[in-house]
Amino acid sequence: MRVLSIQSAVAYGHVGNSAAVFPLQRIGVEVMPVYTVNFSNHTGYGAWGGPMISPEDVSAVIAGIEDRGAFPTIDVVLSGYQGGEGIADVILDAVAKVKAANPDAVYACDPVMGNARSGCFVAPAIPILLRERVVPAADIITPNQFELGFLTETDPTDLASTLASVDAARAMGPRTVLVTSVERPERPAGTIEMLAVDDAGAWIVRTPHIPMKANGSGDVTAALFTAHYRSTGSAADALARTTSSVFDLLTRTHESGERELQLIESQEAYAHPRMQFAVEQVR
């Protein structure tokens, strides 16, 4: 499998491509990372160095990959946080060209906008852009519960309303939806869930909630789920594998006392997931 991953990059820590590439490589996926920023660290620190890469320069890198004849070999285009409006055009152009060269290729979009605790943390134009142009072009999307509600202009809370929101998202274009950070009121205390839905059904998985903020964990989740789903065609299997790997990554990070993901130290969790959580079909 070959993935064209168009995301940010940092030298210190792990977000964007700096979070997604290594786990994908560890499970045997060939990744071609294209950077949209090249920062010293993620912006949550409040200070950082390095450039945001212009859409023209990002496009030039992708054009160079196309010139090498790589587009027919690409199975997945993956995108995450979009820092500026211009990057969307570059990504959508790349998706169209890759799909023209390989009609079996898919586009997986992590529509990063914010979360229930912090609200939206992107530029005001980005959520509208994602809703109106980017998500409709995607085959797979991986929003958290908050982002799902914004995309569909709904209020997902319990399982029924979250499934209804997923149906609204699927009606926009993507056939496969992974919802992260599902916090329905009927779940047991101290737990958190993920929900995966495709044409074959809907599945949910529950894990203990790890009390920490982990920048980059969503990028790892989107990358692993997309790769496993593309490889197996099973949303349930991809959900189980991804949940196992990410839970062990977050557990190791929490126990380390470090702020940044212990991405390299957790590599066995990607290569050999323990499959310790049961996946329940809910539709």
Side-chain angles (χ1 to χ4, degrees):
M1 186 188 309
R2 177 169 285 180
V3 174
L4 176 66
S5 183
I6 308 170
Q7 300 194 57
S8 59
V10 295
Y12 178 83
H14 302 288
V15 298
N17 269 331
S18 301
V21 171
F22 178 70
L24 288 175
Q25 291 172 331
R26 193 64 181 82
I27 63 172
V29 175
E30 177 73 29
V31 188
M32 293 184 288
V34 175
Y35 301 149
T36 56
V37 307
N38 189 15
F39 288 165
S40 57
N41 50 269
H42 68 71
T43 58
Y45 285 95
W48 63 92
M52 179 175 289
I53 301 172
S54 72
E56 293 76 18
D57 285 340
V58 176
S59 182
V61 172
I62 296 171
I65 295 170
E66 182 181 20
D67 289 344
R68 303 287 75 74
F71 278 13
T73 72
I74 294 172
D75 301 290
V76 176
V77 179
L78 175 65
S79 72
Y81 171 76
Q82 298 186 21
E85 298 175 54
I87 292 297
D89 290 327
V90 175
I91 293 169
L92 292 173
D93 181 67
V95 169
K97 289 178 177 177
V98 167
K99 286 192 170 189
N102 177 13
D104 291 329
V106 299
Y107 171 37
C109 170
D110 185 10
V112 178
M113 290 182 278
N115 56 61
R117 290 172 178 79
S118 304
C120 278
F121 50 64
V122 298
I126 297 299
I128 306 302
L129 182 64
L130 288 168
R131 178 195 292 153
E132 295 182 354
R133 296 191 55 213
V134 180
V135 166
D139 301 287
I140 302 168
I141 59 171
T142 59
N144 60 38
Q145 193 174 26
F146 169 84
E147 291 162 341
L148 174 67
F150 192 94
L151 285 172
T152 57
E153 299 180 273
T154 60
D155 184 25
T157 52
D158 59 7
L159 180 59
S161 61
T162 301
L163 285 169
S165 296
V166 169
D167 289 342
R170 295 179 74 231
M172 296 167 67
R175 303 310 304 159
T176 304
V177 178
L178 174 71
V179 188
T180 63
S181 301
V182 176
E183 299 187 37
R184 53 181 176 137
E186 64 266 38
R187 77 192 189 283
T191 65
I192 197 164
E193 296 171 317
M194 283 203 292
L195 173 72
V197 182
D198 68 0
D199 289 339
W203 294 265
I204 200 163
V205 63
R206 178 183 303 134
T207 72
H209 176 63
I210 300 172
M212 64 174 293
K213 180 181 179 181
N215 295 92
S217 58
D219 303 317
V220 176
T221 300
L224 287 176
F225 178 83
T226 298
H228 288 311
Y229 184 70
R230 177 64 173 168
S231 177
T232 68
S234 168
D237 181 75
L239 181 62
R241 291 179 181 276
T242 302
T243 300
S244 174
S245 298
V246 173
F247 180 81
D248 284 350
L249 166 64
L250 293 178
T251 298
R252 180 181 286 268
T253 301
H254 183 57
E255 291 174 348
S256 75
E258 297 290 334
R259 175 172 179 173
E260 297 292 343
L261 290 177
Q262 299 299 288
L263 193 79
I264 309 305
E265 296 84 347
S266 303
Q267 60 183 287
E268 285 303 303
Y270 326 133
H272 304 107
R274 294 188 293 139
M275 307 296 279
Q276 68 270 44
F277 300 108
V279 172
E280 175 189 359
Q281 186 165 7
V282 291
R283 192 171 67 187

